[in-house]
Amino acid sequence: EMEAKYTRKMQALRDELDLRRKTEIHELEERKNTQISELVGNHEGAFGAIKNYYNDITAKNLTLINLLKEQVEDLKKKEAVLEKEKAEVLRENKGLTEPLQEAQELVAELQKKLVHYYKDKEALMNSKAHLKIAQKELKDLQWEHEVLEQRFSEVQEERDDLYQKFTRAINEVQQKTGFKNLLLERKLHGLLTLLEQKEVELSEVVAACNLDPSALSLVSHKLEDVLNSKNATIQDLQLQLARVCKAHNDMLQTFEAKLTAFGIPLDNLGFQPLSFPIPGQ
């Protein structure tokens, strides 16, 4: 009984579910058909709108084509007119070519002249500026020349004064040194002569006295001492003479250097300064 009971319930449930399925399928089909109808309607409307749009565009394009054809014909007519005008202008240009070429040549020549004019103008301005600078430099040089002339006059006076002083000093030094050298030479010559006489007298005395060797040796030693003393005196005199000559020559060199520094030639002295040779050289 329970199996029969549940079999009936299962059958009833199956029938109910089958009915519900059929109902839902029917509702789905109705909704699908409704959507299909709507889509078809929408597509037909859009197709009609597109068809109308393209019909309008086609009509407008046909109108535009006709208008463009008319414009092309007008342009062809205008082109023909312009060709005629072009031919006339070309003929006029051929007639104006020679005058234009002459005018261009004239313009080129005038431009060259204008360039030269600007260059000449600039050169003139530069020359004026250089002239002003040269005039200023000339004034400066004239002023410097005057100053140098004054300084030259002062230097000439100083040179003449120095020349006179130097001439007097040279004469005095030459007189003093010449006199002293003469005295020293005479004194030296007298000593040499005296020495020779003493040697001769000594030889005669030795020969006359027939001295023994010991006495002769003593005399010889005394004579050698005397001779050494005399030789020392001669050397001192020679040294004094050398110092005097060197001082004289140094003074001459200093004077020549001063003359050279002042730009005075040595030939302007009027005499040749005497340079004494230093003894022993």
Side-chain angles (χ1 to χ4, degrees), residues 252-268:
L252 286 178
Q253 292 177 359
T254 303
F255 178 71
E256 290 176 357
K258 289 291 184 181
L259 291 179
T260 305
F262 284 105
I264 303 172
L266 298 177
D267 298 336
N268 293 340

Side-chain angles (χ1 to χ4, degrees), residues 72-248:
V72 167
E73 290 178 357
D74 293 337
L75 289 173
K76 287 182 179 179
K77 292 178 181 179
K78 290 181 180 179
E79 185 179 1
V81 174
L82 291 173
E83 287 291 336
K84 291 181 181 179
E85 292 179 355
K86 178 183 176 182
E88 293 178 359
V89 170
L90 289 173
R91 286 195 297 272
E92 291 179 357
N93 286 337
K94 287 182 180 179
L96 294 174
T97 301
E98 294 181 358
L100 178 62
Q101 187 175 1
E102 293 177 357
Q104 287 178 348
E105 292 177 355
L106 181 60
V107 168
E109 186 177 358
L110 291 174
Q111 286 179 348
K112 290 181 180 178
K113 290 182 179 180
L114 182 62
V115 171
H116 290 302
Y117 169 74
Y118 285 136
K119 288 183 179 179
D120 294 338
K121 185 177 180 180
E122 186 177 359
L124 180 61
M125 293 176 66
N126 292 330
S127 299
K128 287 182 178 179
H130 288 307
L131 180 61
K132 289 182 179 179
I133 294 172
Q135 288 178 350
K136 186 177 181 301
E137 291 179 353
L138 179 62
K139 290 181 180 178
D140 294 338
L141 290 174
Q142 288 177 349
W143 182 77
E144 291 180 0
H145 178 68
E146 292 178 358
V147 173
L148 289 174
E149 283 185 346
Q150 293 177 0
R151 291 181 61 187
F152 180 71
S153 300
E154 294 175 358
V155 170
Q156 278 186 335
E157 293 177 358
E158 186 177 356
R159 182 201 64 183
D160 295 338
D161 189 14
L162 289 173
Y163 178 73
Q164 293 176 359
K165 291 180 179 179
F166 179 74
T167 304
R168 289 194 297 269
I170 286 293
N171 292 328
E172 292 176 359
V173 169
Q174 282 185 340
Q175 290 175 0
K176 291 179 180 179
T177 55
F179 182 70
K180 183 179 283 189
N181 290 336
L182 182 61
L183 290 177
L184 290 173
E185 289 177 356
R186 288 183 179 179
K187 189 174 183 180
L188 179 61
H189 183 68
L191 290 173
L192 291 173
T193 304
L194 181 61
L195 178 61
E196 291 177 355
Q197 291 178 357
K198 294 296 182 181
E199 288 179 352
V200 172
E201 292 177 356
L202 179 61
S203 299
E204 291 177 354
V205 168
V206 170
C209 295
N210 291 322
L211 295 175
D212 58 351
S214 60
L216 183 60
S217 176
L218 180 61
V219 173
S220 297
H221 284 301
K222 289 183 179 181
L223 287 175
E224 286 178 0
D225 293 336
V226 173
L227 289 175
N228 289 330
S229 176
K230 297 298 182 179
N231 289 329
T233 304
I234 291 171
Q235 288 179 358
D236 291 337
L237 293 173
Q238 288 178 346
L239 289 174
Q240 292 179 11
L241 179 61
R243 282 196 293 270
V244 172
C245 293
K246 187 177 184 304
H248 175 74

